[in-house]
Amino acid sequence: MDANELSAKKIALQETFKIHTAENGFSYEEWINPAAGSFYESYKSDLAEIDEQMAPAIQYQS
């Protein structure tokens, strides 16, 4: 996926978060410790996947 596609995917994902919290409120408890299969778990997983592709971890050479 190129950078534009990743950016569009991240924006769409953030929009789902905005809609979810507008309808259901924000739960700090669920954010910190999301239940398996919950909205927060899938959101954080999807966001981490996109972020990893956009900015991969630095690989140090020894």
Coordinates of all heavy atoms in Angstrom, one line a residue:
M1 N 0.8 -1.2 0.0 CA 0.0 0.0 0.0 C 0.9 1.2 0.0 O 1.9 1.3 0.7 CB -0.9 0.0 1.3 CG -2.3 0.3 1.0 SD -3.3 0.2 2.5 CE -3.9 -1.4 2.4
D2 N 0.5 2.2 -0.8 CA 1.4 3.5 -0.8 C 0.9 4.4 0.3 O -0.1 4.2 1.0 CB 1.3 4.1 -2.2 CG 0.0 4.8 -2.5 OD1 -0.9 4.8 -1.7 OD2 -0.1 5.4 -3.6
A3 N 1.7 5.5 0.5 CA 1.5 6.4 1.6 C 0.1 7.0 1.6 O -0.6 7.2 2.6 CB 2.6 7.4 1.6
N4 N -0.4 7.4 0.4 CA -1.7 8.0 0.2 C -2.8 7.0 0.7 O -3.8 7.5 1.3 CB -1.9 8.5 -1.2 CG -1.1 9.7 -1.5 OD1 -0.7 10.5 -0.7 ND2 -0.9 9.9 -2.8
E5 N -2.7 5.8 0.3 CA -3.7 4.8 0.7 C -3.7 4.6 2.2 O -4.7 4.5 2.8 CB -3.5 3.5 0.0 CG -3.7 3.5 -1.5 CD -3.3 2.2 -2.2 OE1 -2.3 1.6 -1.8 OE2 -4.0 1.8 -3.2
L6 N -2.5 4.5 2.8 CA -2.4 4.3 4.2 C -3.0 5.5 5.0 O -3.7 5.4 6.0 CB -0.9 4.1 4.6 CG -0.3 2.8 4.2 CD1 1.2 2.8 4.5 CD2 -1.0 1.7 5.0
S7 N -2.7 6.7 4.4 CA -3.2 7.9 5.1 C -4.8 7.9 5.0 O -5.4 8.3 6.0 CB -2.7 9.2 4.4 OG -1.3 9.3 4.6
A8 N -5.3 7.6 3.9 CA -6.8 7.5 3.7 C -7.4 6.5 4.6 O -8.4 6.7 5.3 CB -7.1 7.2 2.3
K9 N -6.7 5.3 4.8 CA -7.2 4.3 5.6 C -7.2 4.7 7.1 O -8.1 4.5 7.9 CB -6.3 3.0 5.4 CG -6.9 1.8 6.1 CD -6.0 0.6 5.7 CE -6.6 -0.7 6.4 NZ -5.8 -1.9 6.1
K10 N -6.1 5.4 7.5 CA -6.0 6.0 8.9 C -7.1 7.0 9.1 O -7.7 7.0 10.2 CB -4.6 6.5 9.1 CG -4.3 6.9 10.5 CD -2.9 7.2 10.8 CE -2.7 7.6 12.2 NZ -1.2 7.7 12.5
I11 N -7.3 7.9 8.2 CA -8.3 8.9 8.4 C -9.7 8.3 8.5 O -10.5 8.6 9.4 CB -8.3 9.9 7.2 CG1 -7.0 10.8 7.3 CG2 -9.6 10.8 7.2 CD1 -6.7 11.6 6.1
A12 N -10.0 7.3 7.7 CA -11.3 6.5 7.8 C -11.4 5.8 9.1 O -12.5 5.9 9.8 CB -11.4 5.6 6.6
L13 N -10.3 5.2 9.6 CA -10.3 4.6 10.9 C -10.6 5.6 12.0 O -11.4 5.3 12.9 CB -9.0 3.8 11.1 CG -8.9 3.0 12.4 CD1 -9.9 1.9 12.4 CD2 -7.5 2.4 12.5
Q14 N -9.9 6.7 12.0 CA -10.1 7.7 13.0 C -11.6 8.3 12.9 O -12.1 8.6 14.0 CB -9.1 8.9 12.8 CG -7.7 8.5 13.1 CD -6.7 9.5 12.7 OE1 -6.8 10.2 11.7 NE2 -5.6 9.5 13.4
E15 N -12.2 8.3 11.8 CA -13.6 8.7 11.7 C -14.5 7.7 12.4 O -15.4 8.1 13.0 CB -13.9 8.9 10.2 CG -15.3 9.5 10.0 CD -15.5 10.9 10.5 OE1 -14.5 11.7 10.6 OE2 -16.7 11.3 10.8
T16 N -14.2 6.4 12.3 CA -15.0 5.5 13.0 C -14.9 5.6 14.5 O -15.8 5.4 15.2 CB -14.7 4.0 12.6 OG1 -13.3 3.7 13.0 CG2 -14.8 3.7 11.1
F17 N -13.7 6.0 14.9 CA -13.5 6.2 16.3 C -14.3 7.4 16.8 O -14.9 7.4 17.9 CB -12.0 6.5 16.6 CG -11.7 6.7 18.1 CD1 -11.5 5.6 18.9 CD2 -11.5 7.9 18.6 CE1 -11.3 5.7 20.3 CE2 -11.3 8.1 20.0 CZ -11.1 7.0 20.8
K18 N -14.3 8.5 16.0 CA -15.0 9.7 16.3 C -16.5 9.4 16.4 O -17.2 9.8 17.4 CB -14.7 10.7 15.2 CG -15.5 12.0 15.4 CD -15.1 13.0 14.3 CE -16.0 14.2 14.3 NZ -15.8 15.1 13.1
I19 N -17.0 8.6 15.5 CA -18.4 8.3 15.5 C -18.8 7.4 16.7 O -19.8 7.6 17.4 CB -18.8 7.6 14.2 CG1 -18.8 8.6 13.0 CG2 -20.2 6.9 14.2 CD1 -18.8 8.0 11.6
H20 N -17.9 6.4 16.9 CA -18.2 5.5 18.1 C -18.2 6.2 19.4 O -19.1 6.0 20.2 CB -17.1 4.4 18.1 CG -17.2 3.5 19.3 ND1 -18.1 2.4 19.3 CD2 -16.6 3.5 20.5 CE1 -18.0 1.8 20.4 NE2 -17.1 2.4 21.2
T21 N -17.2 7.1 19.6 CA -17.2 7.8 20.9 C -18.4 8.9 21.0 O -18.9 9.1 22.0 CB -15.9 8.5 21.1 OG1 -15.6 9.4 20.0 CG2 -14.8 7.5 21.3
A22 N -18.8 9.4 19.8 CA -19.9 10.3 19.8 C -21.2 9.6 20.2 O -22.1 10.1 21.0 CB -20.1 11.0 18.5
E23 N -21.3 8.4 19.8 CA -22.5 7.6 20.1 C -22.5 6.9 21.4 O -23.5 6.7 22.1 CB -22.8 6.5 19.0 CG -23.1 7.1 17.6 CD -23.2 6.1 16.5 OE1 -22.9 4.9 16.8 OE2 -23.6 6.5 15.4
N24 N -21.3 6.4 21.8 CA -21.2 5.6 23.0 C -20.4 6.2 24.2 O -20.3 5.6 25.2 CB -20.5 4.3 22.7 CG -21.3 3.5 21.6 OD1 -22.4 3.1 21.8 ND2 -20.7 3.4 20.4
G25 N -19.8 7.4 23.9 CA -18.9 8.0 24.9 C -17.6 7.3 24.9 O -17.4 6.3 24.2
F26 N -16.6 7.9 25.6 CA -15.3 7.3 25.6 C -15.1 6.6 27.0 O -15.4 7.1 28.0 CB -14.2 8.4 25.5 CG -12.8 7.9 25.6 CD1 -12.2 7.2 24.6 CD2 -12.1 8.1 26.8 CE1 -10.9 6.7 24.7 CE2 -10.8 7.6 26.9 CZ -10.2 6.9 25.8
S27 N -14.6 5.4 26.9 CA -14.3 4.6 28.1 C -12.8 4.4 28.3 O -12.2 3.7 27.6 CB -15.0 3.2 28.0 OG -14.5 2.4 29.1
Y28 N -12.3 5.2 29.3 CA -10.8 5.1 29.5 C -10.5 3.7 29.9 O -9.4 3.1 29.5 CB -10.4 6.1 30.6 CG -8.9 6.1 30.8 CD1 -8.1 6.7 29.9 CD2 -8.4 5.6 32.0 CE1 -6.7 6.7 30.1 CE2 -7.0 5.6 32.2 CZ -6.2 6.1 31.3 OH -4.9 6.1 31.5
E29 N -11.3 3.1 30.7 CA -11.1 1.7 31.2 C -11.0 0.7 30.0 O -10.1 -0.1 30.0 CB -12.2 1.2 32.2 CG -12.0 -0.2 32.7 CD -13.1 -0.6 33.7 OE1 -13.9 0.3 34.1 OE2 -13.1 -1.8 34.0
E30 N -11.9 0.8 29.1 CA -11.8 0.0 27.9 C -10.7 0.3 27.0 O -10.1 -0.6 26.3 CB -13.2 0.0 27.1 CG -14.3 -0.7 27.8 CD -15.6 -0.6 27.0 OE1 -15.5 -0.9 25.8 OE2 -16.6 -0.3 27.6
W31 N -10.3 1.6 27.0 CA -9.2 2.0 26.1 C -7.9 1.4 26.7 O -7.1 0.8 25.9 CB -9.0 3.5 26.1 CG -7.9 4.0 25.4 CD1 -6.7 4.4 25.9 CD2 -7.7 4.1 23.9 NE1 -5.8 4.8 24.9 CE2 -6.4 4.6 23.7 CE3 -8.6 3.8 22.9 CZ2 -6.0 4.8 22.4 CZ3 -8.1 4.0 21.6 CH2 -6.8 4.5 21.3
I32 N -7.7 1.4 28.0 CA -6.5 0.8 28.6 C -6.5 -0.7 28.5 O -5.4 -1.3 28.3 CB -6.4 1.3 30.1 CG1 -6.2 2.8 30.1 CG2 -5.2 0.6 30.8 CD1 -5.0 3.3 29.4
N33 N -7.6 -1.3 28.8 CA -7.7 -2.8 28.8 C -8.9 -3.2 28.0 O -9.9 -3.7 28.6 CB -7.8 -3.2 30.3 CG -7.7 -4.7 30.5 OD1 -7.2 -5.4 29.6 ND2 -8.2 -5.2 31.6
P34 N -8.8 -3.2 26.7 CA -9.9 -3.6 25.9 C -10.3 -5.1 25.9 O -9.4 -5.9 26.0 CB -9.5 -3.2 24.5 CG -8.0 -3.2 24.5 CD -7.6 -2.8 25.9
A35 N -11.6 -5.3 26.0 CA -12.0 -6.7 26.0 C -11.8 -7.3 24.6 O -11.8 -6.6 23.6 CB -13.5 -6.8 26.3
A36 N -11.6 -8.6 24.6 CA -11.3 -9.3 23.3 C -12.6 -9.1 22.4 O -13.7 -9.3 22.8 CB -11.1 -10.8 23.6
G37 N -12.3 -8.8 21.2 CA -13.4 -8.6 20.2 C -14.1 -7.2 20.3 O -15.0 -7.0 19.6
S38 N -13.7 -6.4 21.2 CA -14.3 -5.1 21.4 C -13.9 -4.1 20.3 O -12.9 -4.3 19.6 CB -14.0 -4.5 22.8 OG -12.6 -4.1 22.8
F39 N -14.7 -3.0 20.2 CA -14.3 -1.9 19.3 C -12.9 -1.4 19.5 O -12.2 -1.2 18.6 CB -15.4 -0.8 19.4 CG -14.9 0.4 18.6 CD1 -15.1 0.5 17.2 CD2 -14.3 1.5 19.2 CE1 -14.7 1.6 16.5 CE2 -13.8 2.6 18.5 CZ -14.1 2.6 17.1
Y40 N -12.6 -1.2 20.8 CA -11.3 -0.6 21.2 C -10.2 -1.5 20.8 O -9.1 -1.1 20.3 CB -11.2 -0.3 22.6 CG -12.1 0.9 23.0 CD1 -13.3 0.8 23.7 CD2 -11.7 2.2 22.7 CE1 -14.1 1.9 24.0 CE2 -12.4 3.3 23.1 CZ -13.6 3.2 23.7 OH -14.4 4.3 24.1
E41 N -10.4 -2.8 21.0 CA -9.3 -3.8 20.6 C -9.0 -3.7 19.1 O -7.9 -3.6 18.7 CB -9.7 -5.2 21.1 CG -8.6 -6.2 20.7 CD -9.0 -7.6 20.8 OE1 -10.1 -8.0 20.4 OE2 -8.2 -8.4 21.3
S42 N -10.1 -3.8 18.3 CA -9.9 -3.8 16.9 C -9.4 -2.5 16.4 O -8.5 -2.4 15.5 CB -11.2 -4.2 16.2 OG -12.2 -3.3 16.3
Y43 N -9.9 -1.4 17.0 CA -9.4 -0.1 16.6 C -7.9 0.1 16.8 O -7.1 0.5 15.9 CB -10.1 1.1 17.3 CG -9.6 2.4 17.1 CD1 -9.9 3.1 15.9 CD2 -8.7 3.0 18.0 CE1 -9.3 4.4 15.7 CE2 -8.2 4.3 17.8 CZ -8.5 4.9 16.6 OH -7.9 6.2 16.3
K44 N -7.5 -0.3 18.0 CA -6.0 -0.1 18.4 C -5.2 -1.1 17.6 O -4.1 -0.7 17.1 CB -5.9 -0.4 19.9 CG -6.4 0.7 20.7 CD -6.4 0.4 22.2 CE -5.0 0.7 22.8 NZ -5.0 0.6 24.3
S45 N -5.7 -2.3 17.3 CA -4.9 -3.2 16.4 C -4.8 -2.7 15.0 O -3.7 -2.7 14.4 CB -5.6 -4.6 16.5 OG -5.0 -5.5 15.6
D46 N -5.9 -2.2 14.4 CA -5.8 -1.7 13.1 C -5.0 -0.5 13.0 O -4.2 -0.3 12.0 CB -7.3 -1.4 12.6 CG -8.1 -2.6 12.4 OD1 -7.6 -3.7 12.4 OD2 -9.4 -2.4 12.3
L47 N -5.0 0.4 14.0 CA -4.2 1.6 14.0 C -2.7 1.3 14.1 O -1.9 1.9 13.4 CB -4.7 2.5 15.2 CG -4.0 3.9 15.2 CD1 -4.3 4.7 14.0 CD2 -4.5 4.6 16.5
A48 N -2.4 0.3 15.0 CA -1.0 -0.1 15.1 C -0.5 -0.7 13.8 O 0.7 -0.4 13.4 CB -0.9 -1.1 16.2
E49 N -1.3 -1.4 13.1 CA -0.9 -2.0 11.8 C -0.6 -0.9 10.8 O 0.4 -1.0 10.1 CB -2.0 -3.0 11.3 CG -1.7 -3.7 10.1 CD -2.8 -4.6 9.6 OE1 -3.4 -5.3 10.4 OE2 -3.2 -4.5 8.4
I50 N -1.5 0.0 10.7 CA -1.3 1.1 9.8 C 0.0 1.9 10.1 O 0.8 2.3 9.3 CB -2.5 2.1 9.7 CG1 -3.7 1.3 9.1 CG2 -2.2 3.3 8.9 CD1 -5.0 2.1 9.3
D51 N 0.1 2.3 11.4 CA 1.3 3.0 11.9 C 2.6 2.3 11.6 O 3.6 2.9 11.2 CB 1.1 3.4 13.4 CG 0.1 4.4 13.6 OD1 -0.3 5.2 12.7 OD2 -0.3 4.6 14.8
E52 N 2.6 1.0 11.8 CA 3.8 0.2 11.5 C 4.2 0.3 10.0 O 5.4 0.3 9.7 CB 3.6 -1.3 11.9 CG 4.7 -2.2 11.6 CD 6.0 -1.8 12.3 OE1 6.1 -1.3 13.4 OE2 7.1 -2.1 11.6
Q53 N 3.2 0.3 9.2 CA 3.5 0.4 7.7 C 3.9 1.8 7.4 O 4.8 2.0 6.5 CB 2.2 0.0 6.9 CG 1.9 -1.5 7.0 CD 0.7 -1.8 6.2 OE1 0.4 -1.3 5.1 NE2 -0.2 -2.7 6.8
M54 N 3.3 2.8 8.0 CA 3.7 4.2 7.7 C 5.1 4.6 8.2 O 5.8 5.3 7.6 CB 2.6 5.1 8.2 CG 1.3 5.0 7.5 SD 0.1 6.2 8.2 CE 0.5 7.7 7.3
A55 N 5.4 4.0 9.4 CA 6.7 4.4 10.0 C 7.2 3.1 10.7 O 7.1 2.9 11.9 CB 6.5 5.5 11.0
P56 N 7.9 2.3 9.9 CA 8.4 1.0 10.5 C 9.4 1.3 11.6 O 10.1 2.3 11.6 CB 9.1 0.3 9.3 CG 8.7 1.1 8.1 CD 8.2 2.4 8.5
A57 N 9.6 0.3 12.5 CA 10.5 0.5 13.6 C 11.9 0.6 13.0 O 12.3 0.0 12.0 CB 10.4 -0.7 14.5
I58 N 12.7 1.3 13.7 CA 14.1 1.5 13.3 C 14.9 0.2 13.6 O 14.8 -0.4 14.6 CB 14.8 2.7 14.0 CG1 14.1 4.0 13.7 CG2 16.3 2.7 13.8 CD1 14.5 5.2 14.5
Q59 N 15.6 -0.2 12.6 CA 16.5 -1.4 12.8 C 17.9 -1.0 13.0 O 18.5 -0.4 12.1 CB 16.4 -2.3 11.5 CG 15.0 -2.8 11.2 CD 14.5 -3.8 12.2 OE1 15.2 -4.6 12.7 NE2 13.2 -3.6 12.5
Y60 N 18.4 -1.3 14.2 CA 19.8 -0.9 14.5 C 20.8 -1.9 14.1 O 20.5 -3.1 14.1 CB 19.9 -0.6 16.0 CG 19.1 0.6 16.5 CD1 17.9 0.4 17.1 CD2 19.6 1.8 16.3 CE1 17.1 1.5 17.5 CE2 18.9 2.9 16.8 CZ 17.6 2.7 17.4 OH 16.9 3.8 17.8
Q61 N 21.9 -1.5 13.6 CA 23.0 -2.4 13.2 C 24.0 -2.5 14.3 O 24.3 -1.5 14.9 CB 23.6 -2.0 11.9 CG 22.7 -2.0 10.7 CD 23.4 -1.6 9.5 OE1 24.5 -1.1 9.5 NE2 22.7 -1.7 8.4
S62 N 24.5 -3.7 14.6 CA 25.5 -3.8 15.7 C 26.9 -3.9 15.1 O 27.2 -4.1 13.9 CB 25.2 -5.0 16.6 OG 25.0 -6.1 15.8

